[in-house]
Amino acid sequence: FADLKIPRSLATKIYLEISEKYLKSGAHVTVLKRPDSNTAIGVAIGFVDEPRSRAQATQYGVLWLIVIDPEFVGRGFGHQLFSRFCEEFGQVCDLLEIGTQVQNESAQRIYEMSGAYKVGTALTFHKWL
């Protein structure tokens, strides 16, 4: 969350809880491990959006989350993780929706280099009441 009124610890808790919910309901997960050990350095989670799939008569997938350990950012692991995720998840879905922050240019480069194309730009606003 980019909202400064939401502490990072709370944002992390929210992402973990939502990720756990998706995983318990059968979401797909791809784990990227360190080249020299069995330690995870990145995770991607995606799910099939059943209502959209029915409405569009195609298997409509959503990339919920993709994260790389900060120690490994900028070394090609994000691209590797996303490519592996697409190979695996492509076995169960036809179209993948990917959302990212407008200012996250490195993620946008990964997606575009992998053949994804931008269909729009979305902004999220918060108004505390």
Side-chain angles (χ1 to χ4, degrees):
F1 289 96
D3 190 324
L4 298 177
K5 290 186 177 186
I6 300 174
R8 185 170 180 82
S9 60
L10 178 58
T12 300
K13 181 179 182 284
I14 292 167
Y15 271 100
L16 287 172
E17 288 174 359
I18 294 171
S19 296
E20 184 177 25
K21 175 186 153 218
Y22 284 135
L23 291 170
K24 284 182 178 178
S25 67
H28 176 81
V29 63
T30 299
V31 178
L32 184 66
K33 297 182 179 177
R34 262 182 98 122
D36 59 348
S37 74
N38 204 24
T39 307
I41 61 171
V43 176
I45 300 171
F47 62 91
V48 174
D49 184 326
E50 296 297 341
R52 276 184 162 166
S53 293
R54 282 190 299 277
Q56 296 182 8
T58 189
Q59 287 296 96
Y60 193 98
V62 177
L63 176 63
W64 155 247
L65 181 72
I66 184 167
V67 294
I68 294 289
D69 182 324
E71 179 183 338
F72 295 90
V73 170
R75 297 170 37 193
F77 292 109
H79 189 282
Q80 185 179 346
L81 174 59
F82 182 66
S83 294
R84 187 175 302 165
F85 172 82
C86 288
E87 286 174 26
E88 294 173 3
F89 199 45
Q91 301 299 311
V92 295
C93 73
D94 304 309
L95 174 66
L96 180 64
E97 179 179 288
I98 309 158
T100 189
Q101 299 293 316
V102 173
Q103 70 273 16
N104 192 343
E105 294 175 3
S106 61
Q108 291 177 47
R109 275 193 302 279
I110 288 170
Y111 303 142
E112 289 173 347
M113 286 174 36
S114 298
Y117 57 93
K118 200 179 293 186
V119 294
T121 302
L123 296 173
T124 301
F125 292 84
H126 284 186
K127 177 174 174 32
W128 288 89
L129 304 173

